[in-house]
Amino acid sequence: MTKRILLLGLLGLAFLTFVGLGVWQIERLQWKQDLIARVDARIHAAPVAPPETATGDDEYRRIRIAGTYIADADTLTQAVTKLGPGFWVMTPMTSEEGRVILVNRGFIPQDLKDQTAYAAPSGAISVTGLLRLTEPKGGFLRDNDPAAGRWFSRDVVEIARARGLSSVAPFFIDVEAAAKGAANAYPVTGLTVVAFSNHHLQYALTWFAMAALTIVGAIVVTRRGDSDEGSA
């Protein structure tokens, strides 16, 4: 009798735990769906001027800036895209307002690393793209090595320091895809991947299924106890 009560108590505790986890995943699902909707709205909104600073609520916002690229200040950061491995071409731009903003001008394959095919255009230019937050502490399980010119993430602060730039905006811009019919030249733009894993519904159903199993277990324990008492 005591063992049965203890077992039922444990099953009850497990039931509450599984239900709680399931409800938490439902809440996470609602949060994720809201996040996806907000980001989708930013991506398709009309471009705006860059903010003074940026938070998570600004990421993937469409930005338009006008200015001139700083010559011979490109930084190649390692990238893996649908076009294969290569590099992002990060180039600082001085805006018309005098701000320095790092611009990801697009992707180049590895065999173009030492060529001039990706040289930044000279003169005044306007670019539109998605605001991205800085990526500190390296990437690909490797730290950036500015002294050796090896970059594994788009760390705005480190890149600015390595290029001797000051007053750099704490974010960068991913240039959006070129208009249809434009020359297929490097760097290739518009390769920003905007995707969020959303498995919360599956997780919730799994936890609720586990809760249901505890009910089945409690029924089995109760029936066996009744059976044992009846045969005593």
Side-chain angles (χ1 to χ4, degrees):
M1 184 71 171
T2 302
K3 290 183 178 180
R4 183 177 63 170
I5 294 175
L6 177 60
L7 185 55
L8 288 173
L10 291 175
L11 287 171
L13 179 61
F15 172 80
L16 293 176
T17 300
F18 292 145
V19 169
L21 290 170
V23 171
W24 176 65
Q25 287 297 335
I26 291 296
E27 293 173 348
R28 292 284 295 173
L29 172 64
Q30 295 172 341
W31 170 81
K32 184 63 67 68
Q33 290 175 333
D34 179 63
L35 172 65
I36 292 172
R38 285 187 283 114
V39 169
D40 186 68
R42 293 176 207 160
I43 291 172
H44 295 96
V48 297
E52 288 297 320
T53 185
T55 66
D57 291 333
D58 295 301
E59 189 158 28
Y60 301 113
R61 192 178 303 281
R62 286 187 76 209
I63 300 296
R64 177 173 292 157
I65 57 175
T68 55
Y69 285 118
I70 299 175
D72 302 320
D74 297 319
T75 298
L76 303 184
T77 65
Q78 188 168 330
V80 176
T81 72
K82 64 182 182 181
L83 301 180
F87 303 93
W88 298 120
V89 181
M90 309 294 293
T91 307
M93 169 182 280
T94 303
S95 71
E96 292 178 342
E97 295 75 26
R99 299 181 67 191
V100 177
I101 299 176
L102 202 61
V103 177
N104 175 13
R105 295 195 296 114
F107 170 83
I108 60 170
Q110 291 179 326
D111 58 4
L112 284 185
K113 181 178 180 180
D114 299 319
Q115 299 180 17
T116 59
Y118 57 85
S122 59
I125 189 173
S126 176
V127 298
T128 301
L130 300 179
L131 184 150
R132 303 296 308 280
L133 300 180
T134 183
E135 300 171 344
K137 301 181 181 180
F140 298 95
L141 302 179
R142 303 182 68 179
D143 294 330
N144 291 322
D145 186 354
R150 290 194 289 267
W151 299 89
F152 302 99
S153 74
R154 295 166 290 188
D155 186 330
V156 172
V157 174
E158 284 295 330
I159 291 175
R161 183 181 294 119
R163 298 296 173 221
L165 303 171
S166 59
S167 302
V168 178
F171 52 84
F172 62 92
I173 306 295
D174 272 354
V175 176
E176 64 185 22
K180 292 183 179 180
N184 184 25
Y186 292 107
V188 179
T189 57
L191 296 180
T192 305
V193 176
V194 183
F196 299 93
S197 61
N198 187 11
H199 305 294
H200 299 295
L201 180 59
Q202 295 93 311
Y203 297 154
L205 293 176
T206 298
W207 290 123
F208 288 140
M210 295 292 289
L213 287 176
T214 61
I215 294 176
V216 173
I219 293 173
V220 171
V221 170
T222 301
R223 287 181 175 177
R224 283 185 177 178
D226 293 341
S227 175
D228 292 341
E229 290 177 0
S231 60

